[in-house]
């Protein structure tokens, strides 16, 4: 049984940093396409970035333009955990952040994948950026 569990959300001032984690169980991270998504109330879920293993223990990450240079998605094999490091946070980054994964997308992983293509989801963690 595949399970994803996020942690690390919270409140931070503009310009601050947070790191979210997504602990994955039931499947090895190297076999997955993984992604971070975010959603504001009343709005559609949007992709933040995706990552997959393009060779043993090496991962290729892709981020949407709005977070490039500020956010970084990475994986720790030893922990079977996906991370989202967020720096220079802005009020518009306020949202519920959710991690997702699907083994069938590994060879076609990327930010062009839509949320409904991912089978496995975490519950999400709230990030609030305000002064």
């Amino acid at each position: 049984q595949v399970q994803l569990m996020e942690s690390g959300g919270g409140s931070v001032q503009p310009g601050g940093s947070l790191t979210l984690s997504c602990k994955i169980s039931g499947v090895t991270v190297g076999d997955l396409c993984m992604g971070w998504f975010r959603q504001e109330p009343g709005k559609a879920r949007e992709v933040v970035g995706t990552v997959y293993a393009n060779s043993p223990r090496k991962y290729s990450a892709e981020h949407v333009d709005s977070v490039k240079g500020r956010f970084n998605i990475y994986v720790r094999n030893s922990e079977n955990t996906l991370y989202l490091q967020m720096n220079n946070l802005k009020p518009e980054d306020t949202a519920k952040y959710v991690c997702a994964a699907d083994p069938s997308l590994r060879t076609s992983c990327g930010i062009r994948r839509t949320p409904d293509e991912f089978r496995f989801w975490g519950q999400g963690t709230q990030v609030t950026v305000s002064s």
Side-chain angles (χ1 to χ4, degrees), residues 24 33 40-41 67 71 73 75 85 87 96 107-108 116 119:
I24 299 174
C33 171
E40 298 176 66
V67 305
F71 290 12
I73 294 175
V75 178
Q85 181 182 7
N87 300 317
K96 184 177 184 180
T107 58
S108 61
D116 59 1
R119 280 183 291 168

Side-chain angles (χ1 to χ4, degrees), residues 8-75:
S11 296
V12 64
Q13 293 186 339
S17 298
L18 281 174
T19 298
L20 308 182
S21 63
C22 174
K23 177 68 175 178
I24 299 174
S25 59
V27 63
T28 301
V29 290
D31 294 333
L32 296 168
C33 171
M34 295 162 283
W36 282 101
F37 296 79
R38 62 187 181 186
Q39 187 169 21
E40 298 176 66
K43 294 187 177 180
R45 186 169 287 182
E46 63 175 12
V47 65
V48 174
T50 58
V51 64
Y52 71 100
N54 57 7
S55 64
R57 299 184 175 274
K58 290 188 177 181
Y59 290 84
S60 175
E62 189 177 8
H63 307 79
V64 295
D65 287 345
S66 60
V67 305
K68 275 183 182 177
R70 300 189 300 122
F71 290 12
N72 181 44
I73 294 175
Y74 62 97
V75 178

